[in-house]
Amino acid sequence: MNSKFSILSSKRNKLFIFLFGIFLSNAIVAEIIGVKIFSVESTFGFKPLHLQTFLGTWDINQTAGALNWPFVFITSDIINEYFGKRGVKRVSYLAAGFIAYCFIIIYGATLLTPAPFWLEVNKGTDNFNIDYAFGKIFRQGLGIITGSLTAFLISQLLDAYIFHAIRKVTDSKKIWLRATGSTLVSQLIDSFVVIGIAFVLFGNWTIDQWLSTSLNSYLYKFFTAILLTPIIYLAHNLIDKYLGNDVTDKLQVEAASEE
């Protein structure tokens, strides 16, 4: 094998591993912290809106899992740009498997019998049960796991197809359009599906709580996707310099030619 090709191929492999690492790390963290629903108003020191709408009472509440999710879809778009739909499918299926594995291990940890001294040193003056809190936080039920993985796979695969469809029309131009456009559509599905399955279908949320929280989550992703567009261009420039023009062109041609 040509030594030059081997070096360039190695760079390509390193790039894929690096992007997958960012993708997987942020996806796992988002899934773990997603069980917490926080008040945006109170976090910034304001009173909740309690706005009365046709959806019912609307406050700006959203899942903590949305905070770092923009880095997931930015990385997904970059993988799609250089490795095509096949690359996105590969990392999506692998990530879903690793997320399920993490849930199993974490759930198993919540079932372990706590050491008495650990309970004692952490109970404080309020007789706080740290083992109960540990289980309550990490023992995410079947609904959350099902909702998370379902929404994750649907949104990622949808993002890949929309990204590719826009790219076929725009060719290598308008990176912002295919990256932002695919994200805005796929995350609309993700935001409503994950909360709907986890907290409505398997939980006790009302419809208005589901709609308002999902909408808040989507609006955050919507504006963040637009604001982070310069980062996508910066990432492209850095990757192009790292790979070199020949490999960059080859990868993008292969990615764009996928059916």
Side-chain angles (χ1 to χ4, degrees):
M1 182 180 291
N2 185 281
S3 59
K4 181 179 179 180
F5 179 79
S6 298
I7 294 174
L8 296 176
S9 178
S10 176
K11 283 189 174 184
R12 174 182 177 175
N13 292 338
K14 289 178 181 178
L15 173 63
F16 186 81
I17 293 171
F18 176 74
L19 292 174
F20 179 57
I22 296 176
F23 181 90
L24 180 61
S25 299
N26 281 284
I28 289 178
V29 170
E31 298 292 353
I32 292 174
I33 66 176
V35 68
K36 179 172 183 176
I37 307 298
F38 72 100
S39 168
V40 177
E41 304 104 316
S42 298
T43 299
F44 288 98
F46 301 103
K47 292 182 179 180
L49 288 180
H50 297 319
L51 186 64
Q52 298 300 316
T53 70
F54 68 95
L55 297 176
T57 302
W58 183 38
D59 294 316
I60 308 180
N61 302 317
Q62 73 173 48
T63 169
L67 293 179
N68 66 320
W69 200 252
F71 295 104
V72 175
F73 53 69
I74 284 178
T75 309
S76 177
D77 289 337
I78 295 174
I79 292 174
N80 207 340
E81 181 75 18
Y82 290 94
F83 298 95
K85 287 188 297 184
R86 186 178 305 169
V88 175
K89 287 181 180 180
R90 183 173 298 169
V91 298
S92 297
Y93 291 139
L94 283 173
F98 284 126
I99 290 171
Y101 168 78
C102 289
F103 277 136
I104 292 172
I105 298 300
I106 292 173
Y107 183 80
T110 67
L111 301 179
L112 299 175
T113 302
F117 85 90
W118 182 62
L119 296 175
E120 184 67 26
V121 298
N122 286 287
K123 71 177 184 180
T125 58
D126 299 324
N127 201 30
F128 176 68
N129 188 333
I130 192 172
D131 188 57
Y132 174 80
F134 182 88
K136 195 69 175 177
I137 293 172
F138 289 112
R139 193 179 296 146
Q140 303 186 45
L142 177 62
I144 294 178
I145 297 174
T146 303
S148 296
L149 293 180
T150 301
F152 174 78
L153 285 175
I154 292 176
S155 63
Q156 284 304 124
L157 297 179
L158 182 62
D159 184 274
Y161 280 99
I162 295 175
F163 184 99
H164 189 67
I166 296 176
R167 181 172 184 166
K168 290 181 71 174
V169 176
T170 61
D171 196 22
S172 61
K173 301 176 182 178
K174 298 182 179 180
I175 297 174
W176 66 269
L177 180 60
R178 56 181 175 269
T180 305
S182 61
T183 294
L184 296 184
V185 176
S186 64
Q187 293 311 306
L188 176 63
I189 304 300
D190 177 84
S191 299
F192 283 86
V193 170
V194 62
I195 295 177
I197 294 177
F199 299 109
V200 179
L201 185 61
F202 285 91
N204 56 2
W205 282 27
T206 62
I207 298 299
D208 61 294
Q209 289 172 333
W210 165 50
L211 293 176
S212 62
T213 303
S214 299
L215 181 59
N216 291 333
S217 180
Y218 176 68
L219 289 175
Y220 167 76
K221 295 174 183 177
F222 181 100
F223 289 111
T224 304
I226 295 174
L227 292 174
L228 293 181
T229 299
I231 293 181
I232 296 178
Y233 279 90
L234 175 62
H236 273 268
N237 289 333
L238 292 174
I239 291 173
D240 289 348
K241 290 180 180 179
Y242 172 70
L243 293 176
N245 293 331
D246 292 341
V247 178
T248 297
D249 293 341
K250 183 176 182 294
L251 286 178
Q252 292 183 337
V253 168
E254 290 178 353
S257 64
E258 290 184 359
E259 295 296 333

